[in-house]
Amino acid sequence: MHNKEEILAEAHKLSKQIQRLDTVKYYQRVETQIHRNHHIDEWMKDLKQRQKQSVNLQNYGKIEAYKRSEAEIDQIQAKIDALPIVTEFREAQSDANDLLQMMINTMADRLNAAHQDK
């Protein structure tokens, strides 16, 4: 029987092993590139500001201004989405998420199987 500290130590080891996986390292590299890109950073700030403004316009019933604001948001989002690094980031993120989900499902299946064996 393992105690909580042993399990947490093993979880820490597993976390370190996951960080060394090529899929995860690739995702982290692409994420770093995204965060270092000045244009993306500025567009994201602008996007967030316009989204807040758009919500306020909608809440105050300013329908025409809301529609214009949403169109501007769509244009900014399209600019961001058109960048190859953003596509690469989304693919890397999806791959890393799929890998982690597979690991979680495997652990859950093994826990359930062990529980049923008792």
Side-chain angles (χ1 to χ4, degrees), residues 14 61 71:
L14 181 59

Side-chain angles (χ1 to χ4, degrees), residues 24-80:
V24 174
K25 288 194 301 191
Y26 177 68
Y27 164 72
Q28 290 171 332
R29 269 194 316 274
V30 174
E31 182 182 33
T32 298
Q33 290 175 346
I34 288 277
H35 289 297
R36 289 183 181 162
N37 186 307
H38 177 70
H39 294 296
I40 294 173
D41 187 49
E42 289 300 315
W43 289 335
M44 290 301 293
K45 286 177 185 174
D46 190 25
L47 185 66
K48 288 177 185 177
Q49 180 182 2
R50 289 177 187 270
Q51 286 171 334
K52 288 178 186 177
Q53 178 186 33
S54 190
V55 168
N56 287 335
L57 291 170
Q58 185 180 30
N59 288 339
Y60 290 114
K62 299 186 178 198
I63 303 304
E64 289 305 313
Y66 169 74
K67 287 179 184 177
R68 284 192 304 274
S69 179
E70 287 295 304
E72 291 169 355
I73 289 169
D74 290 344
Q75 288 176 349
I76 296 168
Q77 188 66 56
K79 271 197 283 192
I80 294 169

Side-chain angles (χ1 to χ4, degrees), residues 3 14 19 33-34 45 51 78 81 85-86 89 94 97:
N3 65 32
L14 181 59
Q19 288 175 349
Q33 290 175 346
I34 288 277
K45 286 177 185 174
Q51 286 171 334
D81 291 344
I85 190 69
V86 173
F89 171 75
S94 177
N97 285 339

